[in-house]
Amino acid sequence: MAQTDRIKLTSLSSKGGCGCKIGPADLAQVIRSLPPEVPDPNLLVGLDTSDDAGVYRLTDELALVQTVDFFTPIVDDPYSFGQVAAANAISDIYAMGGKPLTALNIVAFPIHTLDRAILAEILRGAGDKLKEAGATLVGGHSIDDKEPKFGLAVTGLVHPGKVRTNSGAKPGDKLILTKPIGVGILTTSIKKDLLTEAEIERVTRVMTTLNKTAAEVMEPYEVHACTDVTGFGLMGHASEVAKGSGVGLIIERDRVPVLPRVRELAEAGNVPGGTKNNFAHVEDSVEFPETMDQIDRWILCDAVTSGGLLISVAGSDAEALLGDLLKAGVEASLIGEAEADRPGRITVL
């Protein structure tokens, strides 16, 4: 494994990356150009609300939750990269209220130019994270590609009546976020050797932490909407909640948890393109304070990989849920609320 230690995986990505998705506006334009799907009454969640995963009803008691996600390396340690990719893909199942069941590996790897031990470590990391989630690897697909990419297609199960979507938030709900943001800025800084080993370990721990505990803790509470914060950033995913639910959202910026050194590194120019694209996409839907500078606006829009859950919970349940999340070791924060005014818009205080 000596060669594995010498390889800087993030340097093999032409984007250098944050694992950013194609922008929602660009993706929506492509989808609109396709023929309309034939309606299926068993498709409970599809493309309509840009939700985290699809949900298909099998019986009155059982539905499938399906998702897929993959990206280029965002950390240099192959084992950690596999863990991050797995945690990120599995997260969509938790966001929908489901439990992961099976997974398929998706591999693109330069098999003739990189040590195969690197790929083995990526797969081992993903496999260990799947075991932690209680999911079973059932296969996968691989191609020879000059740029490494890895991810998973994950299938889960949920009761049709217990599906969590991003479009059910109600006025009076409180918003709870279960992980700090700033991941995109930090992973961009990893590529430039700007983080200490302790800082790399910290951001990697955030990304490799499953949202399993947060999902299990919130299950008995009156949660009206849920989404996981990933490539479109906190503001992007919150905007989808606001528009899908027909409510306004208030975000208190001082309550939003941000990883250490994020602002410093952003000021030094380490803001990924995906983060700037996120800001451009939501700028017309978000009212920022006039006193808030561009750096802080970018941070709230930072492109996250394997972020936390954004939970819209009934106001009467919020403090109890927050307390239970903290007791369970989840880095949760109450960051705002939903309101009837300004539907589809976000106000940052």
Side-chain angles (χ1 to χ4, degrees), residues 3 10 20 30-31 64 73 78 113 139-140 170 177 189 193 206 211 232 243 247 264 274 284 290 316 329 333 343:
Q3 184 174 351
T10 54
C20 301
V30 171
I31 291 173
L64 287 179
T113 58
K170 298 181 180 181
L177 180 65
S189 300
D193 294 322
V206 169
N211 284 322
F232 298 150
K243 292 175 180 177
V247 299
E264 171 197 337
D284 293 339
E290 291 184 5
S316 57
S333 300

Side-chain angles (χ1 to χ4, degrees), residues 33 78 166 196-197 249 343:
S33 70
N166 66 0
T196 66
E197 286 301 317
L249 298 184

